[in-house]
Structure formats: structure tokens, C-alpha cells
Amino acid sequence: IPKGSLGGTSGEAIGAVEGSVFKDYNGDSLRQRDEPPVAGIKIWLGKDKTQVTDIFGYYRFSKIKARKAYVTIDTISIPSGYILTSLATQDIAVAQGQAIEINFGIVSRSEITGIVFEDVNLDKKLSNKDKPVKGVVLILEDGTKAKTDDVGRYFFRKAAIGRHTVTLDMNSLPTKYLPIVPIFKDLE
């Protein structure tokens, strides 16, 4: 291609990048029919050009003159409580006269947390008189385990959206304690 034809220099392609941002319910980074679009998300092309997703979660950069382009989702524009299920920056080879599709999935970040404590006043509520119990193991229905820390807290980070059952591992409970509440709890 001679220099100046099609507006680029020798070796550069002129193409486009388009795609969408969507709620990735199953976390697989691929958009399914039931996964809705997310509007108002800023997408960067390189360091200079931006687009904001429309009501259909769609964005497009046209007339890209390059061999390679970097597309980045602006993580500050992602709604609070959501995390990416795809890479934040993706690089693509620009194809002459073609539009390359790059999508970004986001999912609600769920966390299950709680406290195991010695209920000194036997009111079944955490108060300043109660004492934390360290080293107790709790188990999710999928076998994921969490252990209480120095202040009795446990965390299941990145729990999937939906119903869960948290069960106290009785073998991890110090022998001087007996539960006064059920050893499992269903939650959503």
C-alpha cells in the first residue's frame, strides 16, 4: 500500500473496535441473551480517545490507524460493588476494513462475612461484653472454608450470587464451647 492511500502509512491498517459492557451473571466473560447491558461506562482506546457505553452497553471506535490497539475499560466508571470478569485492558491486531469486537463483563461482588463469639450475656446478639472466638472453621455448601481471625470474623470473598448455606465445623470449635444457635445458616 503506497504511503497516503487509505489515510495510513505503509503497514498500518484502518479498522474499528466495537463491543459492549454487560452484567456477566455466570462470570464466563461471554455475553448470553439474559445478561443485560451496562450504560455509562467509559472505554479508552490507547491513552487519548474515549467512548461511553450507550443504553445498550455499546461503544465503537472508528477509523483506527494502527497495527495494534489497546482497549481499556475505565474501572472508576464501573458501578460500586461490581468487579470485572474479563481483563481490564485488551490488545487487538487492527484488521484492514474490519471491526473487531471486544466486550467487558462485570459481576456483582458478593461477600459473606460474620463473627463467631462467646455470648457472655446469652442474648444471642453481639455486644461489647462478648468475646471473639479465634480459629473456628466455617464451610460453604461448595466446600469452601473460612477460619475466624483474632476478632472472631470470617470472610467468604467472591461468593457467587444466589443462595448459600454456611455451616460451623464442630471439630474446630474449642471444647469448652457449645453453640446456642443452629450450626448452619441459609442465606441469599
Side-chain angles (χ1 to χ4, degrees):
I1 300 174
K3 186 174 182 175
S5 67
L6 301 175
T9 59
S10 180
E12 287 185 332
I14 300 176
V17 175
E18 63 185 9
S20 64
V21 178
F22 62 97
K23 291 184 180 176
D24 191 7
Y25 291 144
N26 64 0
D28 68 355
S29 299
L30 303 171
R31 188 170 184 187
Q32 276 77 46
R33 295 180 135 206
D34 65 336
E35 294 176 327
V38 182
I41 305 295
K42 186 185 276 188
I43 306 293
W44 288 86
L45 176 64
K47 296 179 182 178
D48 302 329
K49 296 180 182 178
T50 64
Q51 290 286 323
V52 175
T53 57
D54 64 14
I55 62 169
F56 304 105
Y58 179 78
Y59 73 92
R60 181 179 173 90
F61 294 99
S62 300
K63 299 181 183 176
I64 300 170
K65 298 174 190 172
R67 290 182 186 173
K68 190 178 238 187
Y70 295 90
V71 181
T72 304
I73 188 169
D74 187 336
T75 56
I76 294 171
S77 67
I78 295 174
S80 179
Y82 283 83
I83 57 172
L84 281 167
T85 61
S86 57
L87 296 173
T89 299
Q90 300 181 42
D91 64 333
I92 54 109
V94 177
Q96 180 65 37
Q98 295 182 12
I100 305 297
E101 184 177 350
I102 298 202
N103 298 314
F104 296 94
I106 64 173
V107 68
S108 177
R109 182 181 66 176
S110 297
E111 185 174 275
I112 300 170
T113 184
I115 297 176
V116 176
F117 60 94
E118 179 182 351
D119 193 8
V120 175
N121 58 4
L122 300 175
D123 65 355
K124 298 182 184 176
K125 296 178 187 173
L126 181 62
S127 67
N128 58 0
K129 294 178 183 178
D130 297 328
K131 298 176 186 174
V133 182
K134 178 182 175 181
V136 175
V137 175
L138 294 110
I139 306 167
L140 274 182
E141 73 287 341
D142 67 359
T144 305
K145 295 180 180 183
K147 187 182 276 190
T148 59
D149 61 16
D150 291 342
V151 292
R153 284 180 304 188
Y154 64 89
F155 298 92
F156 291 102
R157 303 198 193 284
K158 297 181 183 179
I161 296 171
R163 298 191 61 75
H164 293 281
T165 301
V166 177
T167 304
L168 174 73
D169 179 357
M170 290 295 292
N171 293 327
S172 69
L173 194 64
T175 55
K176 67 180 183 176
Y177 296 116
L178 287 174
I180 61 171
V181 294
I183 64 167
F184 65 90
K185 182 167 182 122
D186 291 322
L187 52 105
E188 186 163 345

